[in-house]
Amino acid sequence: LLSGRESIDSSNMEDDVSLKFRQQLLLIDENLVAEDVAALKFLCTDLLPFKKLEGVKSAVDIFQLLMAEEYLNEEDTFLLAELLYRIKCHSLLKKLGYTQDKVQECLHEKGRVSLYRQMLYELSENITSEMLKEIIFLLQDCLPKQRITLSALELLILLEKQGLLTENNVQVLEEVCMTVSPDLLETVNCYKGAKDVLSIDPLNMTMLSHTEGLFLSMKQYLKHKRCCIVAKLLFTTSTSIGYIFINIYAVFSLDNKAANLTQGFSEMNKMASYKMDGPHRGFCLVINNVKFGRSLLERKGSHKDAEELEQVFTWLGLDVRTYTDLTSQQIKDLMQTWQHVQDHKDRDCFICCILSHGESGAIYGKDEELVSIRMIMSHFTAEQCPQLAEKPKLFFIQACQGKEIQRPVYVEADARIPDLPSTQQSISPSESIPAEADFLLGMATIDGCVSFRHIQQGAWYIQALCSKLQLLVPRGEDILSILTEVNDDVGRRVDRWGTKKQMPQPSYTLRRKFIFPIPRDPPPS
């Protein structure tokens, strides 16, 4: 009798786990739009029967197919986590118990999406509507005669169905990309180079054995200066293999000039990029205002943001200084102090991050007095701070730029409580930037709107910024590309009720690309 009860209890527990798992899948499905479902469907093309995929109408349909093929169950959700990671739905990873870092760490062991499929998906993401029209025109003899509207993904699938495009034959892509866009062609060449590198046993790579043979296999790509492009794609497949590739190149460089390989991936960016090879990277200030006077609430969770900023910018080579709970006058005094620091002349850049409550064009000191963002930035113009003349100066502001309307329980807004009047006029981010070159202002939200912060996990904007820097700096991406990814990440997030959204807004007067040199160490966890 006891054994029977135990059996029933065990069965009930299994049913509960299965029910919760399916509930999580439904939550994920509810947060995916049609474009996301199309992307998931495309990335699963090599894993699931094509005829069954043709009938897919929703993400739930895909989940059912993955479970039927034993790719997905309550004990192993990594494939779904990988798929969400590939389509940049990073905020949904936590529903499966994953983070971006955890997925990236496991990709080289558990990843199932092929390099070929990744390349095609990346290609589709970079094909504009005008490019698509040109490509369809070039391939019209290969396409059905009846007029149909095709997306980039649908076009690629059609080429595969007709046998014109395969993992080992991408000639049709090379030909059309050569005509339409050299950048698209680079993606295809990137795939071909990375494919040859990965044809070497990855286990041998990770053990760093037979290094001379590996070097000879890479030689053609290094000779053609394609090392950095290949490494960029390798990072999307396996961070560890990407780093190994870089280190091997540094040891066996053909021209014996590899000492500074990690200064950047692409030679074509050198002339258009800010100089970032000085003896010191630069200073990074983090001002973290958490506790205020009577009217403004404590900014719970902000310490997590400050800690992550310190870790990430230290990893990027900056000398980070953190200040907590400064009054408006102390903020002004601090800016004047750093304005006159002579050591700026030996640094490549200057970065300042401010976490506080705010209004349009301003942030609050702990005394609840406003400080103009423009005034803060104006301390570092070429006239006021000649040591930083012609050097990039980056400011990241986590603060509301307007009034909150409703305050949820677990997500708070970095703004005044609703019944406090504001005398601050609306000021756009572009008006906050000094009228001269070499500035970037990254705002957590557009003017007039609130920005959100989880009281345990930190601010949406800062968490996305830190995550994207760790993910994309090793791939050689410039800061504006990274901030575009931050916009995408934050723009996909919603509060727990699904009613609050946020969109960051970068403004800049940069004259060149700002590319962080790739750190030798892996990103902080």
Side-chain angles (χ1 to χ4, degrees):
L1 180 61
L2 183 60
S3 175
R5 286 180 180 175
E6 288 176 346
S7 176
I8 292 172
D9 289 343
S10 175
S11 176
N12 289 339
M13 287 179 63
E14 290 177 0
D15 290 343
D16 289 343
V17 171
S18 179
L19 177 61
K20 289 179 181 178
F21 171 61
R22 291 175 183 273
Q23 288 173 335
Q24 290 294 86
L25 294 182
L26 280 177
L27 286 173
I28 292 172
D29 172 75
E30 290 170 3
N31 283 277
L32 296 173
V33 298
E35 291 81 2
D36 297 327
V37 175
L40 290 176
K41 181 177 174 181
F42 181 80
L43 291 174
C44 289
T45 302
D46 301 326
L47 305 172
L48 298 172
F50 189 79
K51 287 186 178 180
K52 292 184 178 180
L53 275 175
E54 285 185 319
V56 163
K57 302 297 182 184
S58 68
V60 167
D61 294 338
I62 297 176
F63 302 157
Q64 291 279 22
L65 291 174
L66 291 174
M67 287 189 285
E69 297 292 328
E70 298 186 350
Y71 284 123
L72 176 64
N73 57 62
E74 52 263 45
E75 295 179 356
D76 184 4
T77 60
F78 183 78
L79 176 57
L80 179 53
E82 179 188 0
L83 293 171
L84 294 174
Y85 172 87
R86 299 285 184 200
I87 67 173
K88 300 183 178 65
C89 289
H90 300 140
S91 62
L92 298 178
L93 291 175
K94 62 183 178 182
K95 297 186 184 301
L96 299 172
Y98 280 95
T99 63
Q100 287 178 246
D101 291 340
K102 185 62 177 177
V103 173
Q104 189 173 0
E105 180 184 326
C106 298
L107 276 178
H108 68 288
E109 293 180 358
K110 297 183 176 182
R112 288 183 176 271
V113 180
S114 68
L115 203 63
Y116 167 68
R117 193 62 49 187
Q118 290 177 52
M119 179 272 293
L120 294 182
Y121 179 67
E122 181 180 346
L123 203 66
S124 73
E125 289 285 278
N126 292 317
I127 294 176
T128 66
S129 57
E130 288 302 315
M131 289 179 186
L132 184 58
K133 289 179 183 177
E134 293 178 18
I135 293 173
I136 291 175
F137 177 77
L138 291 171
L139 296 174
Q140 59 184 344
D141 292 339
C142 307
L143 302 178
K145 298 302 180 184
Q146 64 269 30
R147 291 190 176 184
I148 55 173
T149 303
L150 292 173
S151 68
L153 289 179
E154 290 169 337
L155 175 62
L156 293 171
I157 286 290
L158 193 55
L159 293 175
E160 288 187 291
K161 288 174 68 175
Q162 295 180 344
L164 298 173
L165 178 61
T166 68
E167 183 176 6
N168 297 315
N169 182 11
V170 293
Q171 184 178 350
V172 65
L173 291 183
E174 291 179 283
E175 290 174 352
V176 296
C177 290
M178 193 178 300
T179 302
V180 173
S181 168
D183 290 335
L184 296 180
L185 180 60
E186 180 184 297
T187 300
V188 179
N189 288 335
C190 190
Y191 160 71
K192 292 175 66 179
K195 183 173 179 290
D196 283 0
V197 172
L198 288 179
S199 66
I200 305 161
D201 183 359
L203 293 176
N204 286 342
M205 290 183 70
T206 56
M207 293 299 291
L208 290 177
S209 60
H210 309 300
T211 311
E212 291 182 3
L214 174 60
F215 168 64
L216 292 174
S217 300
M218 294 178 178
K219 187 171 182 179
Q220 291 301 313
Y221 295 103
L222 300 178
K223 183 172 67 177
H224 291 297
K225 300 180 180 179
R226 207 175 285 168
C227 162
C228 302
I229 300 173
V230 173
K232 180 178 178 180
L233 188 55
L234 287 175
F235 267 107
T236 71
T237 303
S238 165
T239 304
S240 59
I241 293 178
Y243 275 107
I244 290 168
F245 184 86
I246 289 175
N247 292 332
I248 290 173
Y249 176 80
V251 174
F252 292 104
S253 172
L254 293 174
D255 54 12
N256 295 318
K257 295 179 180 178
N260 244 353
L261 172 69
T262 56
Q263 294 302 316
F265 271 136
S266 179
E267 288 193 5
M268 65 183 179
N269 282 332
K270 287 184 179 177
M271 294 302 294
S273 301
Y274 283 102
K275 183 176 180 292
M276 294 289 286
D277 57 0
H280 305 285
R281 191 71 58 240
F283 293 105
C284 173
L285 311 185
V286 178
I287 299 174
N288 182 28
N289 280 357
V290 179
K291 297 182 179 179
F292 297 82
R294 297 179 180 178
S295 301
L296 295 174
L297 297 179
E298 178 180 346
R299 299 182 61 257
K300 296 178 181 179
S302 190
H303 285 303
K304 179 174 175 59
D305 292 332
E307 289 170 3
E308 291 216 22
L309 286 169
E310 183 172 350
Q311 290 177 2
V312 170
F313 283 116
T314 298
W315 169 65
L316 291 172
L318 286 102
D319 185 354
V320 181
R321 310 293 175 87
T322 301
Y323 304 87
T324 305
D325 293 341
L326 300 186
T327 64
S328 57
Q329 188 57 51
Q330 287 173 329
I331 292 173
K332 296 173 185 176
D333 292 343
L334 184 68
M335 295 302 109
Q336 290 178 1
T337 298
W338 281 97
Q339 172 187 29
H340 299 295
V341 170
Q342 293 300 310
D343 286 348
H344 286 313
K345 67 177 181 292
D346 296 324
R347 265 68 179 179
D348 296 326
C349 65
F350 174 75
I351 296 176
C352 179
C353 307
I354 301 179
L355 318 174
S356 186
H357 287 297
E359 296 284 355
S360 179
I363 55 95
Y364 280 105
K366 70 168 295 182
D367 56 350
E368 302 193 5
E369 294 295 326
L370 287 168
V371 183
S372 163
I373 294 172
R374 183 180 181 87
M375 185 276 292
I376 290 172
M377 298 177 71
S378 66
H379 284 85
F380 302 96
T381 62
E383 181 179 353
Q384 298 296 323
C385 185
Q387 296 87 357
L388 286 173
E390 300 187 359
K391 296 179 181 180
K393 296 160 279 279
L394 281 57
F395 291 78
F396 298 102
I397 310 294
Q398 168 55 43
C400 284
Q401 290 298 285
K403 298 284 187 176
E404 68 170 324
I405 298 173
Q406 181 179 2
R407 189 182 304 281
V409 175
Y410 292 106
V411 179
E412 297 180 347
D414 282 336
R416 267 188 181 275
I417 56 176
D419 57 350
L420 290 178
S422 173
T423 58
Q424 187 78 4
Q425 293 183 348
S426 178
I427 300 174
S428 70
S430 60
E431 291 175 322
S432 296
I433 297 183
E436 67 166 64
D438 308 314
F439 278 89
L440 179 143
L441 173 59
M443 299 294 296
T445 184
I446 60 176
D447 185 56
C449 296
V450 298
S451 60
F452 294 103
R453 168 179 36 83
H454 193 286
I455 62 174
Q456 294 174 335
Q457 298 172 4
W460 292 0
Y461 176 64
I462 297 300
Q463 292 302 307
L465 175 64
C466 292
S467 173
K468 294 300 181 183
L469 285 169
Q470 294 180 78
L471 179 66
L472 299 177
V473 166
R475 300 183 190 177
E477 299 285 358
D478 69 284
I479 191 65
L480 296 182
S481 298
I482 292 173
L483 291 179
T484 300
E485 292 285 341
V486 171
N487 278 13
D488 180 63
D489 187 312
V490 176
R492 289 176 181 268
R493 302 189 187 208
V494 293
D495 72 334
R496 61 185 301 190
W497 292 281
T499 59
K500 301 290 192 303
K501 298 283 286 184
Q502 178 182 332
M503 179 53 65
Q505 183 176 6
S507 301
Y508 61 94
T509 58
L510 299 177
R511 296 172 295 116
R512 301 172 182 171
K513 288 187 177 182
F514 181 90
I515 302 175
F516 282 108
I518 299 166
R520 295 185 181 276
D521 297 325
S525 57

